[in-house]
Amino acid sequence: MKNRPLWFNIFSVVALSMAVVNFFTHVALLRIVTMLCLAVFMASLGTFERKKNRKMAFILFGVAAFQVFVLAEMIFVAVTK
């Protein structure tokens, strides 16, 4: 993580640790929060990468958009179940 702000480094450690905990616990609310954190993480990476490598930035934004779509579907399933 080269030349990233401190808030991003802290947020990335928290988001990735939540993803690892989610992998072992399978709690529904934790899955939703983890997906939200990972979507913000990917969007932040895309923002940081935008000036250096536009192709990689668009790929990261696409992954973030897909994660938001999956997050909306997870919330819909949780509410309607």
Side-chain angles (χ1 to χ4, degrees):
M1 302 216 186
K2 42 190 160 154
N3 298 331
R4 305 276 193 242
L6 180 64
W7 66 266
F8 180 78
N9 291 334
I10 293 170
F11 184 77
S12 64
V13 169
V14 169
L16 294 177
S17 63
M18 283 178 54
V20 169
V21 169
N22 183 29
F23 183 71
F24 292 115
T25 60
H26 302 292
V27 177
L29 181 64
L30 190 60
R31 284 183 183 180
I32 292 172
V33 173
T34 300
M35 188 61 75
L36 178 66
C37 287
L38 291 177
V40 170
F41 178 72
M42 294 305 265
S44 298
L45 277 177
T47 303
F48 291 141
E49 195 70 24
R50 187 175 51 204
K51 291 182 182 178
K52 292 182 262 179
N53 189 353
R54 292 186 70 81
K55 183 178 179 182
M56 181 58 86
F58 287 132
I59 290 171
L60 292 171
F61 284 135
V63 170
F66 180 71
Q67 287 176 331
V68 168
F69 173 75
V70 171
L71 176 66
E73 192 264 338
M74 287 171 60
I75 292 171
F76 177 74
V77 168
V79 169
T80 58
K81 205 169 193 182

